[in-house]
Amino acid sequence: MKTDLDVPALAVFLFFFALVTVMGFVASHWKRPKTLASLDEWGLGGRQFGTWITWFLVGGDFYTAYTVIAVPALVYSVGAYGFFALPYTILVYPFVFMVMPKLWQVAKDNGYVTAADVVHGRYASRTLEAAVAITGVVATMPYIALQLIGMAAAVKALGFEGEMPLIAAFVVLALYTYSSGLRAPALIAFVKDIMIYIAVIAAISVIPGKLGGYANVFHAADEAFKAKGSGSIILGPTQYFAYATLALGSALAAFMYPHTLTGIFAAKSATTIRKNAVLLPAYTLMLGLLALLGYMGHAAQLKLASNNDVVPALFQTLFPSWFAGFAFAAIAIGALVPAAVMSIGAANLFTRNFWKAYVNPQIDTAGEATVAKLASLVVKVGALLVIIYLPTQFALDLQLLGGLWILQTLPALIFGLFTGWFTAPALLAGWVVGLFGGTYLTWMDGLKPLHLLSMGSFQATVYVGLIALAANIAVAVLVNLVMPKRPAAIASH
């Protein structure tokens, strides 16, 4: 990939970056908030986002810059295995359709802002609430850091070296998120997604023509994997089970993250969420097309220092500079939207489930908003420091563990919506076993997401998150059976 300063590309990049910066500050007046000195307004946009705003917001923070960079990079590296993101983003929407409207209604009726609020309201257990909140914050931090990796790939392709462009971009992000709250990423998500759709449609229309057609693209990828001795353009039989469990586990974990739940809680009705569960799969089509760029990288015979460079290098090599700048801006802005929502989600957790729970229970709504704004700044600075001072692989490893960890909050958050059978001690015991047992398995396997299960003659490679979740649920059931059951209490915030 070329790293010389590309002036036309830089000019286009700066134009769109300036455009979304202005939009980020203007967003504080969007949808006419009476005041932003309230967590409902700053952190959830007043819970008034309709179908289209929710579609762009949830899609914008679910399909991130790192997705745009990492999925094609994984396909470039290992082939068909990298397409697990497609069934995962198909499986997740029936789950959203059936479960999230119920969760939204509970949150709306009780004024809950976070998943931990819901858990505390259902079980009246500060310990279980803290467990869910800590898991949410810790799992989110490396996810924000990964957005910076996606942005760094685009900035490097423009010809910049060093960390200053990233620092400048995140200072801007921090300021307009502080000023406008969730309204800023919601408004910018419109521009971001339209730009990414344009870039992807151009890529799948133009690149195959320049590389001799799709048949040649697949042939070149197949030859590259054979020459390398690993990877393939179709799954091998031994990969089926691992592929399926990875997709299922990722789907169950996806809407447990604070940022995706923030998008859900900000919707104006349960019907809005159901409509989005029907409409959001359109993003899956885009993701599939994006993944094909990994195969195109082989056909273009790119020379890459990192697999993450495959998408920027394709645009840099096969498009005029101005359009490459447009695509790089789309990727960079694609980092700002989810990073903003993630920092808001983590800040909401800190404010409601740590500060209000343990430091200042009498805090008023304006005080909550102030604490959340400051916490969102701290979260962004923390993610930036991770990228600057720690190896990139550290963020990748933590994000892998983050998926496993956040999945362990599912029983506490979701089961209570449909049954009063489980108790807080049982769910807490399940969370401990799932979280620490899953982490131990992953650590012993060299920080790999898959674990080989052997039971007699049966052997299967399974996603560790699902193994941990199964242990989590089994322990919760067992503890519930042996401990005296008390009626679930209803708490309030």
Side-chain angles (χ1 to χ4, degrees), residues 432-453:
V432 169
V433 169
L435 192 90
F436 292 100
T439 303
Y440 175 76
L441 276 185
T442 305
W443 182 265
M444 293 301 291
D445 289 336
L447 289 174
K448 304 292 183 188
L450 300 167
H451 180 75
L452 180 63
L453 276 183

Side-chain angles (χ1 to χ4, degrees), residues 133-218:
I134 289 169
T135 309
V137 172
V138 173
T140 301
M141 290 287 288
Y143 218 148
I144 300 173
L146 290 188
Q147 303 316 307
L148 287 171
I149 293 177
M151 180 181 283
V155 170
K156 187 172 74 171
L158 286 168
F160 285 110
E161 297 291 341
E163 311 294 351
M164 283 310 297
L166 283 180
I167 294 172
F170 261 65
V171 167
V172 171
L173 166 70
L175 291 176
Y176 69 61
T177 306
Y178 185 93
S179 169
S180 304
L182 193 63
R183 283 174 169 78
L187 189 59
I188 294 170
F190 285 94
V191 176
K192 170 249 183 186
D193 283 0
I194 291 170
M195 290 178 70
I196 286 186
Y197 269 108
I198 291 172
V200 171
I201 291 170
I204 62 163
S205 304
V206 173
I207 295 176
K210 293 188 174 184
L211 298 177
Y214 274 101
N216 191 53
V217 167
F218 285 105

Side-chain angles (χ1 to χ4, degrees), residues 188-459:
I188 294 170
F190 285 94
V191 176
K192 170 249 183 186
D193 283 0
I194 291 170
M195 290 178 70
I196 286 186
Y197 269 108
I198 291 172
V200 171
I201 291 170
I204 62 163
S205 304
V206 173
I207 295 176
K210 293 188 174 184
L211 298 177
Y214 274 101
N216 191 53
V217 167
F218 285 105
H219 176 73
D222 189 39
E223 291 297 314
F225 291 130
K226 287 176 180 173
K228 191 168 66 169
S230 63
S232 64
I233 62 170
I234 59 172
L235 284 178
T238 57
Q239 295 178 307
Y240 294 164
F241 207 77
Y243 185 88
T245 57
L246 196 56
L248 178 60
S250 301
L252 292 175
F255 276 79
M256 298 298 105
Y257 279 103
H259 59 282
T260 44
L261 285 176
T262 297
I264 292 294
F265 289 166
K268 73 176 181 181
S269 71
T271 302
T272 297
I273 296 167
R274 292 190 187 93
K275 287 181 179 176
N276 267 275
V278 174
L279 297 172
L280 277 166
Y283 279 95
T284 303
L285 175 64
M286 180 183 73
L287 189 61
L289 299 174
L290 263 171
L292 287 174
L293 296 181
Y295 287 160
M296 294 178 196
H298 288 295
Q301 298 183 329
L302 300 176
K303 304 300 180 190
L304 305 175
S306 162
N307 293 333
N308 284 342
D309 293 337
V310 64
V311 170
L314 277 172
F315 280 103
Q316 203 174 44
T317 305
L318 299 171
F319 284 92
S321 289
W322 69 268
F323 192 80
F326 176 86
F328 299 157
I331 294 170
I333 295 167
L336 297 182
V337 171
V341 183
M342 288 169 191
S343 69
I344 289 170
N348 289 345
L349 280 168
F350 176 81
T351 304
R352 293 300 293 263
N353 309 115
F354 296 117
W355 194 267
K356 185 172 183 178
Y358 297 104
V359 178
N360 184 6
Q362 306 306 319
I363 190 171
D364 60 14
T365 54
E368 283 187 336
T370 301
V371 171
K373 289 178 179 180
L374 294 173
S376 77
L377 294 179
V378 173
V379 168
K380 293 187 193 73
V381 171
L384 194 59
L385 293 177
V386 167
I387 289 297
I388 292 175
Y389 292 109
L390 294 175
T392 302
Q393 188 60 41
F394 184 76
L396 289 168
D397 293 341
L398 280 181
Q399 201 275 336
L400 164 66
L401 289 170
L404 156 68
W405 294 337
I406 203 69
L407 190 54
Q408 307 316 312
T409 65
L410 185 146
L413 180 61
I414 302 302
F415 289 0
L417 297 176
F418 299 98
T419 176
W421 188 73
F422 286 96
T423 61
L427 291 167
L428 192 60
W431 174 83
V432 169
V433 169
L435 192 90
F436 292 100
T439 303
Y440 175 76
L441 276 185
T442 305
W443 182 265
M444 293 301 291
D445 289 336
L447 289 174
K448 304 292 183 188
L450 300 167
H451 180 75
L452 180 63
L453 276 183
S454 298
M455 287 178 282
S457 60
F458 174 79
Q459 286 192 329

